[in-house]
Amino acid sequence: MAGGSEAPGDGLVVLVVDDEAPARGELAWVLDQAPRVSRVLAAPSGTAALAALEHESIDVVFSDISMPGLDGMQLARVIKRFADPPAVVFVTAHDAHAVDAFDLDAVDYVMKPVRQERIGEAVRRCLVSIERADRTGEDDDETIPVELGGVTRFVSRADIRYVQAHGDYARLHTATGSHLVRVPLASLEERWSEAGFVRIHRSTIVSTRHVTQVRMDQGRCTVVVDGDVELQVSRRHTRALRSTLLRLGERP
């Protein structure tokens, strides 16, 4: 389990990192009210947070981003190198770092001013992430920050059916809609290949877990996603797709 505490059922040990005392105190108080949080620690800087992480078993770090010295992003990069890293939740007044949060595997991205129900949702996400990591030995899913009406939301990778390129951006397609993110398709293909995403066209990668049918018609290949979306497979990617699906089908 991240941070090395006994179990999520015993309650999370949380570290709040913020250089502004009022914000730090408010967030610590809100977290202390959460039923699945057993202990809340606080640090006024990224450097102080690292010292606390060295001496305490921390499950989750709730960190501001804009701080003097070691800022929240730099702190998260250090934490990511830990052998057993705690989950990280960013709490910030700015939404400009949401894509960077994705790259750092942040569990959530909460906008200030904090609300009790929103922090409760962040705690729930942390519990899910930690419990999944305990079951599998590693977190086999991740969440991606997307913008909806000026509000940052998170989409689970497991819900993404396919992704299409839009220049330096990518559009993530789920069963309920689509979301444009500032990440190149090639980066997602490389990062998610082990999770079953495969390229079927120069502008499309698809999640094999959502492929329900492969159709061949006069040498033209298409895949059906969740029974309702048909996507073209280019000739150069047809053989690789079939090999990948056959290999997955042979797994016990």
Side-chain angles (χ1 to χ4, degrees):
M1 173 179 175
S5 70
E6 294 178 3
D10 300 324
L12 298 174
V13 178
V14 176
L15 175 64
V16 174
V17 188
D18 199 311
D19 63 306
E20 297 182 357
R24 187 170 67 247
E26 179 185 12
L27 179 54
W29 183 87
V30 172
L31 281 163
D32 200 42
Q33 311 308 305
R36 297 298 300 274
V37 174
S38 63
R39 187 181 178 206
V40 180
L41 306 174
S45 68
T47 302
L50 289 178
L53 287 163
E54 184 178 353
H55 296 98
E56 301 281 352
S57 293
I58 307 294
D59 297 304
V60 186
V61 175
F62 279 75
S63 179
D64 188 17
I65 291 179
S66 298
M67 297 184 292
L70 190 71
D71 66 23
M73 286 292 168
Q74 293 168 329
L75 173 63
R77 290 187 182 96
V78 176
I79 289 174
K80 191 175 181 180
R81 296 200 295 266
F82 287 11
D84 188 18
V88 173
V89 173
F90 289 114
V91 184
T92 176
H94 308 285
D95 61 5
H97 300 285
V99 172
D100 294 326
F102 161 72
D103 289 333
L104 291 169
D105 300 326
V107 174
D108 210 341
Y109 192 95
V110 180
M111 298 296 293
K112 294 179 179 179
V114 298
R115 295 178 289 109
Q116 191 161 10
E117 60 271 23
R118 183 64 183 86
I119 294 299
E121 170 64 14
V123 170
R124 186 195 68 79
R125 289 177 183 271
C126 291
L127 286 163
V128 170
S129 177
I130 291 169
E131 288 169 355
R132 182 187 295 122
D134 280 349
R135 289 195 305 270
T136 64
E138 61 180 11
D139 192 349
D140 59 0
D141 197 11
E142 63 181 66
T143 52
I144 300 90
V146 299
E147 295 298 319
L148 292 173
V151 178
T152 300
R153 305 292 186 192
F154 280 74
V155 173
S156 172
R157 184 181 63 194
D159 294 331
I160 297 171
R161 307 199 292 179
Y162 61 99
V163 186
Q164 293 180 313
H166 282 257
D168 292 333
Y169 289 69
R171 184 168 293 278
L172 314 177
H173 294 266
T174 69
T176 57
S178 66
H179 312 278
L180 196 64
V181 294
R182 195 167 63 243
V183 182
L185 185 70
S187 296
L188 293 179
E189 178 188 14
E190 180 180 0
R191 179 166 182 161
W192 291 353
S193 61
E194 292 300 316
F197 281 79
V198 60
R199 187 178 288 266
I200 61 170
H201 191 275
R202 62 184 177 84
S203 62
T204 310
I205 60 174
V206 67
S207 171
T208 53
R209 70 189 296 172
H210 289 283
V211 173
T212 54
Q213 190 176 1
V214 179
R215 296 174 177 171
M216 295 295 300
D217 182 15
Q218 298 181 344
R220 178 176 176 268
C221 180
T222 60
V223 294
V224 178
V225 178
D226 288 342
D228 61 1
V229 176
E230 188 170 4
L231 301 172
Q232 182 179 351
V233 182
S234 68
R235 289 183 181 275
R236 64 175 297 192
H237 293 105
T238 297
R239 179 176 294 180
L241 172 66
R242 295 179 66 180
S243 298
T244 298
L245 293 174
L246 286 170
R247 186 172 67 251
L248 292 172
E250 293 170 355
R251 289 181 181 176

